[in-house]
């Protein structure tokens, strides 16, 4: 247990085309931290034969991941996104567009691929571009049933080959005749000229048969499902199709226009799924064209570069009847062309992805299946034994950052599974064990976590970390970078004579909007707790070493403590670090990433951490830190002050805190209102 100190996705060809689980295997884990994981039921997560697809059929259920069957269909492999799965199934039946918003690595592209699997394969079509004898810059476009395209092109090629052979034979016969005649009549010069003339006429003045062969611009004969095309980050040409530049353009060496046509992602996704992640990164003109393509179900291909000869070519409309799956995080919604969003909303579904799921036995079964899926997809790593499975689930709990939940940021979890499996493989182990997972956690650290580690080492080297004694106006705050890298964030406060109007709280350290607002809110607490007129002074707050900026309001209690310490000249304990948001009424409100923040404090040598009481259940620190750090949950700012500040006269200070807490409302209203809370 953590040590907690309570107060706690027709054609007949011719030269001119016609139109057309696992049962519970209770085991026990060795560490206190994981006692809840021990009843993770393995047997219900296995399939009918109780084995994984990559293992022999009759496998003994030993609680390992090889006892688990991986579903065939991708849609059945998605875990924790039941609402999204239901919507995707519905959208696939109704051929509706979908927008999925949510955290990276939670299964958006997986769901889009799964949707392509659900679409009917019978509807697939091949698309051909034919030369147009009336207007060579407007190639003719035809669709045929999937698989027919290749046959048509081959038949055209065979026909062209026959014609070329006939023409070459004719040239040979005529040349031999002329040369023979010249040899008999001794008219050498005339003979050579006549032979050259006939050769040129037949070779170049007749249409080039190979130029009449149509081009297969879209084919789906190789895919087992409807097409899934990922157009993420595509430039206009790759998305909407393009016509290549022809450096020769005339003189018999040119490439015909239809042969230079290249289909775009929207055409390759015809009758399938077009997936665009980070939709907001597509330029607005591309989003506008995408909208037109969605509305019309067809989109002519033209050269995208104005300077290319391809720009003169514009095909007949090319079919692009796709289902659009747009994805991104919340910013994607803002950066999206409003008309495109409205099209998806009006003709489809919007899904907000889950990033955690409740830690229930049923969901643990699903998580175990996820582990088996990742092992099967990798194809190289050994299966996980029970201890390794439990450790992965334990890590999923930690990463959820929420009490009683498992993370659904499964790309990252997949990474951990692969690294652990690789370690086991290198050792030639039959199964991956808990030891491999623990080692993988150390190896597979995020960039942010590595930066944080480096920062902690450097501050130690330069003796910048203050983790003992007391200081006025300096408080060890805690921050989290990315999703899993905690760091100690010292905050300093200093009081200066007022400049201008005075009474300003001036904060530096690349603070973003919410962080700045939280500083303003701290002003209310200062007035309330110090009772001082701050019109004659300015309060400077400095966030130390925040080169990547500060977002969020989780440093509010730290800022308040530093400012009060500076205002009242009361020293602050440096063996304590703290994190917590603050209401203007003094309530300490929950924040994110508490586990990682506590671990960072412990790594830095800090002995006690103050966290919001509401976050207590979210804490799941690693065994190695359990004995070295004390976690103190707090609900009100005065509890923070009481623990962190070291006044000369403690009795007087505690009395003052009591008085302030008792008198606030009444002193403002000028009436006596009984307090509803007792400060101890
Ligand atoms: N809900 C899930 N169920 C099962 N596996 C998942 C799930 N979410 C992610 N994964 C695993 O993580 C991998 C990456 O997920 P995916 O690419 O679908 O995430 P994403 O949400 O599209 O992320 P991004 O926005 O970064 O592209 C998947 O191939 C799969 O192995």
């Amino acid at each position: 247990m953590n040590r907690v100190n309570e107060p706690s996705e027709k054609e007949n060809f011719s030269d001119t085309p016609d139109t057309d689980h696992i049962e519970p295997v209770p085991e026990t884990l060795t560490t206190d931290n994981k006692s809840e994981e021990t009843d993770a039921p393995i047997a219900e997560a296995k399939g009918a034969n109780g084995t994984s697809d990559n293992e022999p059929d009759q496998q003994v259920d030993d609680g390992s991941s090889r006892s688990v069957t991986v579903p065939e269909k991708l849609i059945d492999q998605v875990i924790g996104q039941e609402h999204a799965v239901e919507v995707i199934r519905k959208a696939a039946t109704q051929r509706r567009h979908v927008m999925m918003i949510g955290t990276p690595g939670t299964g958006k592209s997986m769901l889009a691929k799964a949707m392509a699997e659900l679409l009917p394969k019978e509807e697939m079509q091949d698309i051909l571009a034919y030369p147009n004898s009336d207007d060579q810059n407007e190639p003719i476009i035809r669709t045929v049933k999937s698989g027919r395209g290749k046959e048509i092109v081959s038949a055209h090629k065979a026909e062209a080959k026959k014609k070329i052979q006939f023409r070459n034979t004719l040239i040979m016969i005529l040349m031999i005749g002329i040369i023979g005649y010249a040899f008999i009549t001794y008219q050498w010069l005339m003979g050579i000229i006549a032979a050259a003339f006939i050769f040129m006429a037949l070779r170049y003045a007749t249409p080039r048969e190979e130029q009449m062969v149509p081009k297969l611009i879209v084919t789906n004969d190789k895919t087992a499902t409807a097409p899934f095309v990922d157009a993420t980050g595509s430039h206009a040409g790759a998305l909407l199709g393009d016509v290549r530049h022809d450096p020769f353009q005339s003189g018999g060496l040119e490439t015909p226009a239809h042969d230079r046509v290249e289909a775009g992602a929207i055409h390759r996704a015809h009758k399938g799924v077009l997936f665009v992640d980070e939709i907001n990164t597509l330029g607005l003109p591309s989003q506008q064209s995408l909208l037109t393509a969605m509305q019309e179900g067809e989109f002519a291909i033209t050269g995208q570069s104005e300077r290319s000869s391809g720009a003169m070519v514009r095909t007949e409309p090319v079919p692009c009847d796709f289902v659009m799956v747009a994805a991104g995080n919340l910013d994607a919604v803002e950066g999206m062309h409003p008309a495109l969003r409205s099209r998806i909303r009006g003709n489809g579904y919007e899904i907000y992805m889950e990033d955690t799921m409740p830690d229930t036995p049923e969901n643990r079964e699903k998580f175990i299946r996820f582990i088996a899926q990742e092992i099967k997809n990798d194809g190289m790593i050994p299966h996980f034994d029970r201890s390794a499975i439990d450790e992965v689930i334990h890590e999923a709990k930690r990463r959820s950052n929420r009490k009683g939940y498992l993370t659904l940021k499964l790309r990252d979890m997949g990474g951990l599974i692969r690294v652990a499996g690789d370690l086991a493989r290198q050792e030639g182990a039959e199964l991956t064990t808990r030891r491999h997972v623990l080692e993988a956690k150390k190896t597979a650290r995020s960039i942010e976590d590595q930066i944080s580690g480096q920062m902690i080492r450097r501050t130690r080297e330069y003796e910048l970390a203050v983790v003992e004694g007391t200081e006025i106006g300096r408080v060890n705050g805690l921050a989290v970078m990315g999703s899993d890298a905690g760091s100690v964030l010292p905050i300093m406060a200093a009081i200066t004579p007022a400049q201008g109007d005075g009474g300003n709280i001036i904060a530096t350290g690349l603070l973003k909007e919410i962080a700045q607002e939280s500083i303003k809110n701290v002003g209310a607490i200062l007035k309330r707790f110090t009772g001082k007129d701050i019109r004659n002074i300015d309060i400077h707050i400095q966030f130390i070493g925040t080169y990547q900026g500060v977002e969020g309001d989780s440093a509010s209690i730290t800022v308040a403590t530093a400012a009060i310490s500076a205002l009242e000249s009361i020293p602050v304990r440096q063996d304590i670090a703290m994190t917590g948001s603050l209401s203007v009424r003094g309530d300490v409100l929950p924040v994110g990433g508490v586990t990682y923040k506590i671990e960072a404090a412990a790594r830095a040598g800090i002995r006690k951490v103050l966290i919001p009481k509401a976050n207590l259940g979210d804490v799941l620190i690693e065994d190695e830190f359990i004995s070295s750090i004390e976690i103190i949950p707090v609900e009100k700012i005065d509890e923070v002050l009481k623990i962190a500040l070291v006044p000369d006269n403690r009795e007087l200070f505690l009395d003052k805190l009591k008085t302030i807490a008792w008198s606030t409302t009444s002193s403002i209203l000028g009436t006596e209102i009984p307090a509803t809370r007792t400060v101890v």
Side-chain angles (χ1 to χ4, degrees), residues 77-81 102-111 113 275 277-278 327-328 353 370 373-374 377 408-412 414 418:
Q77 293 183 11
V78 176
I79 70 161
Q81 306 288 356
T103 311
T106 50
K108 297 185 291 293
S109 84
M110 189 178 181
L111 278 159
K113 278 188 203 134
F275 177 68
D277 203 355
E278 303 305 336
M353 303 290 288
F370 161 71
Q373 283 167 199
E374 293 296 307
N377 290 342
L408 282 174
K409 290 180 198 159
L410 296 180
R411 183 193 280 121
D412 294 352
R418 275 181 290 280

mmCIF file of all heavy atoms in Angstrom, residues 77-81 102-111 113 275 277-278 327-328 353 370 373-374 377 408-412 414 418, ligand 1:
data_model
loop_
_atom_site.group_PDB
_atom_site.id
_atom_site.type_symbol
_atom_site.label_atom_id
_atom_site.label_comp_id
_atom_site.label_asym_id
_atom_site.label_seq_id
_atom_site.Cartn_x
_atom_site.Cartn_y
_atom_site.Cartn_z
ATOM 1 N N GLN A 77 -11.737 -6.972 -32.027
ATOM 2 C CA GLN A 77 -10.482 -6.842 -31.275
ATOM 3 C C GLN A 77 -10.406 -5.526 -30.506
ATOM 4 O O GLN A 77 -9.550 -5.358 -29.658
ATOM 5 C CB GLN A 77 -9.281 -6.916 -32.225
ATOM 6 C CG GLN A 77 -9.101 -8.277 -32.875
ATOM 7 C CD GLN A 77 -7.870 -8.328 -33.753
ATOM 8 O OE1 GLN A 77 -7.034 -7.443 -33.741
ATOM 9 N NE2 GLN A 77 -7.764 -9.396 -34.533
ATOM 10 N N VAL A 78 -11.318 -4.595 -30.839
ATOM 11 C CA VAL A 78 -11.259 -3.281 -30.196
ATOM 12 C C VAL A 78 -11.772 -3.425 -28.762
ATOM 13 O O VAL A 78 -12.838 -3.970 -28.535
ATOM 14 C CB VAL A 78 -12.126 -2.271 -30.963
ATOM 15 C CG1 VAL A 78 -12.137 -0.927 -30.246
ATOM 16 C CG2 VAL A 78 -11.610 -2.131 -32.382
ATOM 17 N N ILE A 79 -11.009 -2.933 -27.808
ATOM 18 C CA ILE A 79 -11.465 -3.047 -26.424
ATOM 19 C C ILE A 79 -11.762 -1.668 -25.828
ATOM 20 O O ILE A 79 -11.161 -0.668 -26.211
ATOM 21 C CB ILE A 79 -10.454 -3.809 -25.534
ATOM 22 C CG1 ILE A 79 -9.179 -2.991 -25.285
ATOM 23 C CG2 ILE A 79 -10.118 -5.164 -26.097
ATOM 24 C CD1 ILE A 79 -8.405 -3.483 -24.080
ATOM 25 N N GLY A 80 -12.708 -1.633 -24.927
ATOM 26 C CA GLY A 80 -12.981 -0.425 -24.146
ATOM 27 C C GLY A 80 -13.688 0.696 -24.885
ATOM 28 O O GLY A 80 -13.904 1.752 -24.315
ATOM 29 N N GLN A 81 -14.043 0.510 -26.129
ATOM 30 C CA GLN A 81 -14.687 1.582 -26.906
ATOM 31 C C GLN A 81 -16.042 1.078 -27.401
ATOM 32 O O GLN A 81 -16.369 1.160 -28.583
ATOM 33 C CB GLN A 81 -13.806 1.994 -28.114
ATOM 34 C CG GLN A 81 -12.386 2.376 -27.777
ATOM 35 C CD GLN A 81 -12.294 3.734 -27.054
ATOM 36 O OE1 GLN A 81 -13.301 4.426 -26.869
ATOM 37 N NE2 GLN A 81 -11.105 4.100 -26.625
ATOM 38 N N GLY A 102 -10.379 12.193 -30.016
ATOM 39 C CA GLY A 102 -9.878 11.606 -28.775
ATOM 40 C C GLY A 102 -8.374 11.522 -28.720
ATOM 41 O O GLY A 102 -7.674 11.892 -29.658
ATOM 42 N N THR A 103 -7.926 11.010 -27.600
ATOM 43 C CA THR A 103 -6.498 10.898 -27.314
ATOM 44 C C THR A 103 -5.815 9.971 -28.325
ATOM 45 O O THR A 103 -6.394 8.969 -28.723
ATOM 46 C CB THR A 103 -6.360 10.315 -25.889
ATOM 47 O OG1 THR A 103 -7.211 11.050 -25.031
ATOM 48 C CG2 THR A 103 -4.949 10.360 -25.381
ATOM 49 N N PRO A 104 -4.564 10.299 -28.728
ATOM 50 C CA PRO A 104 -3.834 9.416 -29.637
ATOM 51 C C PRO A 104 -3.664 8.009 -29.043
ATOM 52 O O PRO A 104 -3.533 7.846 -27.837
ATOM 53 C CB PRO A 104 -2.455 10.093 -29.786
ATOM 54 C CG PRO A 104 -2.685 11.509 -29.430
ATOM 55 C CD PRO A 104 -3.811 11.535 -28.446
ATOM 56 N N GLY A 105 -3.703 7.020 -29.936
ATOM 57 C CA GLY A 105 -3.430 5.637 -29.517
ATOM 58 C C GLY A 105 -4.571 4.945 -28.838
ATOM 59 O O GLY A 105 -4.394 3.934 -28.163
ATOM 60 N N THR A 106 -5.812 5.466 -28.977
ATOM 61 C CA THR A 106 -6.951 4.822 -28.329
ATOM 62 C C THR A 106 -7.779 3.985 -29.318
ATOM 63 O O THR A 106 -8.830 3.472 -28.953
ATOM 64 C CB THR A 106 -7.860 5.872 -27.650
ATOM 65 O OG1 THR A 106 -8.149 6.906 -28.606
ATOM 66 C CG2 THR A 106 -7.199 6.491 -26.445
ATOM 67 N N GLY A 107 -7.334 3.883 -30.578
ATOM 68 C CA GLY A 107 -7.979 2.966 -31.514
ATOM 69 C C GLY A 107 -8.762 3.608 -32.645
ATOM 70 O O GLY A 107 -9.596 2.942 -33.276
ATOM 71 N N LYS A 108 -8.517 4.888 -32.941
ATOM 72 C CA LYS A 108 -9.295 5.554 -33.988
ATOM 73 C C LYS A 108 -9.009 4.930 -35.364
ATOM 74 O O LYS A 108 -9.932 4.572 -36.091
ATOM 75 C CB LYS A 108 -8.990 7.066 -33.992
ATOM 76 C CG LYS A 108 -9.410 7.730 -32.681
ATOM 77 C CD LYS A 108 -9.239 9.220 -32.687
ATOM 78 C CE LYS A 108 -7.808 9.680 -32.693
ATOM 79 N NZ LYS A 108 -7.075 9.374 -31.453
ATOM 80 N N SER A 109 -7.732 4.777 -35.699
ATOM 81 C CA SER A 109 -7.438 4.226 -37.028
ATOM 82 C C SER A 109 -7.796 2.744 -37.067
ATOM 83 O O SER A 109 -8.213 2.209 -38.093
ATOM 84 C CB SER A 109 -5.994 4.491 -37.435
ATOM 85 O OG SER A 109 -5.145 3.533 -36.925
ATOM 86 N N MET A 110 -7.714 2.076 -35.920
ATOM 87 C CA MET A 110 -8.100 0.655 -35.853
ATOM 88 C C MET A 110 -9.590 0.500 -36.168
ATOM 89 O O MET A 110 -10.015 -0.378 -36.919
ATOM 90 C CB MET A 110 -7.796 0.148 -34.441
ATOM 91 C CG MET A 110 -7.929 -1.322 -34.246
ATOM 92 S SD MET A 110 -7.481 -1.712 -32.542
ATOM 93 C CE MET A 110 -7.680 -3.484 -32.565
ATOM 94 N N LEU A 111 -10.398 1.415 -35.600
ATOM 95 C CA LEU A 111 -11.837 1.381 -35.846
ATOM 96 C C LEU A 111 -12.150 1.691 -37.322
ATOM 97 O O LEU A 111 -13.064 1.108 -37.915
ATOM 98 C CB LEU A 111 -12.542 2.382 -34.942
ATOM 99 C CG LEU A 111 -12.804 1.876 -33.521
ATOM 100 C CD1 LEU A 111 -13.023 3.031 -32.561
ATOM 101 C CD2 LEU A 111 -14.001 0.942 -33.487
ATOM 102 N N LYS A 113 -10.208 1.037 -39.849
ATOM 103 C CA LYS A 113 -9.869 -0.177 -40.626
ATOM 104 C C LYS A 113 -10.952 -1.234 -40.433
ATOM 105 O O LYS A 113 -11.361 -1.923 -41.362
ATOM 106 C CB LYS A 113 -8.539 -0.754 -40.130
ATOM 107 C CG LYS A 113 -7.333 -0.069 -40.716
ATOM 108 C CD LYS A 113 -6.058 -0.808 -40.344
ATOM 109 C CE LYS A 113 -4.896 0.143 -40.421
ATOM 110 N NZ LYS A 113 -3.971 0.124 -39.323
ATOM 111 N N PHE A 275 -9.611 7.434 -44.555
ATOM 112 C CA PHE A 275 -9.300 7.827 -43.185
ATOM 113 C C PHE A 275 -8.345 9.006 -43.190
ATOM 114 O O PHE A 275 -7.324 8.980 -43.869
ATOM 115 C CB PHE A 275 -8.647 6.650 -42.456
ATOM 116 C CG PHE A 275 -8.209 6.961 -41.054
ATOM 117 C CD1 PHE A 275 -9.136 7.215 -40.054
ATOM 118 C CD2 PHE A 275 -6.865 6.986 -40.726
ATOM 119 C CE1 PHE A 275 -8.730 7.502 -38.752
ATOM 120 C CE2 PHE A 275 -6.442 7.261 -39.426
ATOM 121 C CZ PHE A 275 -7.384 7.520 -38.436
ATOM 122 N N ASP A 277 -6.464 11.310 -40.412
ATOM 123 C CA ASP A 277 -6.177 11.654 -39.025
ATOM 124 C C ASP A 277 -5.688 13.094 -39.010
ATOM 125 O O ASP A 277 -5.157 13.567 -40.009
ATOM 126 C CB ASP A 277 -5.096 10.716 -38.488
ATOM 127 C CG ASP A 277 -5.126 10.621 -36.979
ATOM 128 O OD1 ASP A 277 -5.907 11.352 -36.347
ATOM 129 O OD2 ASP A 277 -4.358 9.822 -36.426
ATOM 130 N N GLU A 278 -5.819 13.757 -37.900
ATOM 131 C CA GLU A 278 -5.423 15.157 -37.769
ATOM 132 C C GLU A 278 -5.980 15.946 -38.952
ATOM 133 O O GLU A 278 -5.270 16.634 -39.660
ATOM 134 C CB GLU A 278 -3.896 15.306 -37.716
ATOM 135 C CG GLU A 278 -3.213 14.518 -36.612
ATOM 136 C CD GLU A 278 -3.754 14.817 -35.214
ATOM 137 O OE1 GLU A 278 -4.300 15.908 -35.012
ATOM 138 O OE2 GLU A 278 -3.659 13.945 -34.344
ATOM 139 N N ALA A 327 -10.425 11.945 -38.084
ATOM 140 C CA ALA A 327 -10.028 11.768 -36.684
ATOM 141 C C ALA A 327 -9.112 12.891 -36.247
ATOM 142 O O ALA A 327 -8.618 13.655 -37.071
ATOM 143 C CB ALA A 327 -9.342 10.422 -36.514
ATOM 144 N N GLY A 328 -8.924 12.968 -34.952
ATOM 145 C CA GLY A 328 -8.015 13.965 -34.424
ATOM 146 C C GLY A 328 -8.278 14.166 -32.951
ATOM 147 O O GLY A 328 -9.122 13.494 -32.368
ATOM 148 N N MET A 353 -13.774 9.504 -28.114
ATOM 149 C CA MET A 353 -13.171 8.246 -27.669
ATOM 150 C C MET A 353 -12.948 8.250 -26.158
ATOM 151 O O MET A 353 -12.637 9.282 -25.563
ATOM 152 C CB MET A 353 -11.817 8.033 -28.349
ATOM 153 C CG MET A 353 -11.859 8.031 -29.856
ATOM 154 S SD MET A 353 -12.666 6.594 -30.543
ATOM 155 C CE MET A 353 -11.453 5.326 -30.227
ATOM 156 N N PHE A 370 -6.313 -8.156 -25.232
ATOM 157 C CA PHE A 370 -5.513 -7.143 -25.945
ATOM 158 C C PHE A 370 -4.033 -7.558 -25.947
ATOM 159 O O PHE A 370 -3.342 -7.467 -26.962
ATOM 160 C CB PHE A 370 -5.700 -5.773 -25.271
ATOM 161 C CG PHE A 370 -4.641 -4.779 -25.598
ATOM 162 C CD1 PHE A 370 -4.568 -4.212 -26.873
ATOM 163 C CD2 PHE A 370 -3.675 -4.428 -24.671
ATOM 164 C CE1 PHE A 370 -3.564 -3.302 -27.191
ATOM 165 C CE2 PHE A 370 -2.672 -3.525 -24.984
ATOM 166 C CZ PHE A 370 -2.622 -2.963 -26.244
ATOM 167 N N GLN A 373 -3.612 -10.178 -28.418
ATOM 168 C CA GLN A 373 -3.694 -9.601 -29.785
ATOM 169 C C GLN A 373 -2.363 -8.987 -30.198
ATOM 170 O O GLN A 373 -1.863 -9.186 -31.304
ATOM 171 C CB GLN A 373 -4.750 -8.497 -29.822
ATOM 172 C CG GLN A 373 -6.160 -9.022 -29.869
ATOM 173 C CD GLN A 373 -7.209 -7.951 -29.592
ATOM 174 O OE1 GLN A 373 -8.325 -8.292 -29.264
ATOM 175 N NE2 GLN A 373 -6.908 -6.684 -29.691
ATOM 176 N N GLU A 374 -1.793 -8.223 -29.277
ATOM 177 C CA GLU A 374 -0.535 -7.546 -29.596
ATOM 178 C C GLU A 374 0.556 -8.580 -29.853
ATOM 179 O O GLU A 374 1.387 -8.415 -30.744
ATOM 180 C CB GLU A 374 -0.127 -6.615 -28.450
ATOM 181 C CG GLU A 374 -1.069 -5.438 -28.270
ATOM 182 C CD GLU A 374 -1.095 -4.479 -29.455
ATOM 183 O OE1 GLU A 374 -0.034 -4.018 -29.873
ATOM 184 O OE2 GLU A 374 -2.205 -4.199 -29.972
ATOM 185 N N ASN A 377 -0.148 -10.078 -33.279
ATOM 186 C CA ASN A 377 0.188 -9.131 -34.355
ATOM 187 C C ASN A 377 1.684 -8.998 -34.528
ATOM 188 O O ASN A 377 2.186 -8.850 -35.637
ATOM 189 C CB ASN A 377 -0.405 -7.754 -34.069
ATOM 190 C CG ASN A 377 -1.911 -7.777 -34.196
ATOM 191 O OD1 ASN A 377 -2.466 -8.693 -34.812
ATOM 192 N ND2 ASN A 377 -2.592 -6.826 -33.607
ATOM 193 N N LEU A 408 -6.739 3.399 -21.686
ATOM 194 C CA LEU A 408 -7.049 2.906 -23.045
ATOM 195 C C LEU A 408 -6.092 3.529 -24.056
ATOM 196 O O LEU A 408 -6.342 3.478 -25.252
ATOM 197 C CB LEU A 408 -8.504 3.215 -23.401
ATOM 198 C CG LEU A 408 -9.528 2.273 -22.761
ATOM 199 C CD1 LEU A 408 -10.945 2.735 -23.052
ATOM 200 C CD2 LEU A 408 -9.358 0.832 -23.240
ATOM 201 N N LYS A 409 -5.000 4.104 -23.552
ATOM 202 C CA LYS A 409 -3.980 4.589 -24.494
ATOM 203 C C LYS A 409 -3.170 3.366 -24.864
ATOM 204 O O LYS A 409 -2.073 3.113 -24.331
ATOM 205 C CB LYS A 409 -3.112 5.652 -23.833
ATOM 206 C CG LYS A 409 -3.864 6.940 -23.595
ATOM 207 C CD LYS A 409 -2.956 7.946 -22.940
ATOM 208 C CE LYS A 409 -3.768 9.045 -22.299
ATOM 209 N NZ LYS A 409 -3.056 9.752 -21.274
ATOM 210 N N LEU A 410 -3.763 2.562 -25.731
ATOM 211 C CA LEU A 410 -3.251 1.206 -25.933
ATOM 212 C C LEU A 410 -2.069 1.113 -26.892
ATOM 213 O O LEU A 410 -1.380 0.110 -26.901
ATOM 214 C CB LEU A 410 -4.389 0.284 -26.386
ATOM 215 C CG LEU A 410 -5.481 0.140 -25.307
ATOM 216 C CD1 LEU A 410 -6.588 -0.765 -25.787
ATOM 217 C CD2 LEU A 410 -4.907 -0.411 -24.022
ATOM 218 N N ARG A 411 -1.821 2.172 -27.676
ATOM 219 C CA ARG A 411 -0.624 2.112 -28.521
ATOM 220 C C ARG A 411 0.614 2.065 -27.621
ATOM 221 O O ARG A 411 1.528 1.267 -27.828
ATOM 222 C CB ARG A 411 -0.534 3.289 -29.473
ATOM 223 C CG ARG A 411 0.688 3.128 -30.367
ATOM 224 C CD ARG A 411 1.068 4.341 -31.128
ATOM 225 N NE ARG A 411 0.214 4.491 -32.302
ATOM 226 C CZ ARG A 411 -0.533 5.535 -32.516
ATOM 227 N NH1 ARG A 411 -0.547 6.529 -31.662
ATOM 228 N NH2 ARG A 411 -1.262 5.618 -33.604
ATOM 229 N N ASP A 412 0.583 2.911 -26.593
ATOM 230 C CA ASP A 412 1.708 2.936 -25.662
ATOM 231 C C ASP A 412 1.827 1.614 -24.919
ATOM 232 O O ASP A 412 2.908 1.100 -24.697
ATOM 233 C CB ASP A 412 1.524 4.066 -24.649
ATOM 234 C CG ASP A 412 1.605 5.419 -25.329
ATOM 235 O OD1 ASP A 412 1.953 5.455 -26.521
ATOM 236 O OD2 ASP A 412 1.312 6.428 -24.667
ATOM 237 N N GLY A 414 0.859 -1.242 -26.004
ATOM 238 C CA GLY A 414 1.362 -2.201 -27.011
ATOM 239 C C GLY A 414 2.883 -2.108 -27.105
ATOM 240 O O GLY A 414 3.580 -3.123 -27.219
ATOM 241 N N ARG A 418 5.579 -5.099 -26.427
ATOM 242 C CA ARG A 418 6.594 -5.538 -27.411
ATOM 243 C C ARG A 418 8.006 -5.486 -26.843
ATOM 244 O O ARG A 418 8.801 -6.397 -27.051
ATOM 245 C CB ARG A 418 6.490 -4.715 -28.696
ATOM 246 C CG ARG A 418 5.442 -5.291 -29.635
ATOM 247 C CD ARG A 418 5.339 -4.509 -30.920
ATOM 248 N NE ARG A 418 4.744 -3.198 -30.687
ATOM 249 C CZ ARG A 418 3.438 -2.986 -30.560
ATOM 250 N NH1 ARG A 418 2.606 -3.983 -30.676
ATOM 251 N NH2 ARG A 418 2.990 -1.769 -30.344
HETATM 252 N N1 LIG B 1 -9.303 0.235 -28.280
HETATM 253 C C1 LIG B 1 -8.322 -0.565 -28.693
HETATM 254 N N2 LIG B 1 -8.463 -1.904 -28.662
HETATM 255 C C2 LIG B 1 -7.462 -2.726 -29.027
HETATM 256 N N3 LIG B 1 -6.260 -2.299 -29.456
HETATM 257 C C3 LIG B 1 -6.051 -0.966 -29.525
HETATM 258 C C4 LIG B 1 -7.065 -0.026 -29.157
HETATM 259 N N4 LIG B 1 -6.584 1.220 -29.298
HETATM 260 C C5 LIG B 1 -5.333 1.104 -29.755
HETATM 261 N N5 LIG B 1 -5.005 -0.208 -29.896
HETATM 262 C C6 LIG B 1 -3.697 -0.703 -30.327
HETATM 263 O O1 LIG B 1 -2.869 0.442 -30.548
HETATM 264 C C7 LIG B 1 -2.530 0.564 -31.943
HETATM 265 C C8 LIG B 1 -2.606 1.999 -32.360
HETATM 266 O O2 LIG B 1 -3.945 2.441 -32.311
HETATM 267 P P1 LIG B 1 -4.555 3.448 -33.386
HETATM 268 O O3 LIG B 1 -3.558 3.732 -34.478
HETATM 269 O O4 LIG B 1 -5.891 2.922 -33.821
HETATM 270 O O5 LIG B 1 -4.718 4.714 -32.483
HETATM 271 P P2 LIG B 1 -5.266 6.146 -32.929
HETATM 272 O O6 LIG B 1 -6.307 6.487 -31.948
HETATM 273 O O7 LIG B 1 -5.660 6.145 -34.379
HETATM 274 O O8 LIG B 1 -3.992 7.039 -32.645
HETATM 275 P P3 LIG B 1 -3.461 8.283 -33.506
HETATM 276 O O9 LIG B 1 -4.479 9.342 -33.392
HETATM 277 O O10 LIG B 1 -2.191 8.609 -32.839
HETATM 278 O O11 LIG B 1 -3.244 7.779 -34.917
HETATM 279 C C9 LIG B 1 -3.526 -0.330 -32.664
HETATM 280 O O12 LIG B 1 -2.975 -0.844 -33.868
HETATM 281 C C10 LIG B 1 -3.784 -1.447 -31.639
HETATM 282 O O13 LIG B 1 -2.720 -2.373 -31.677
#
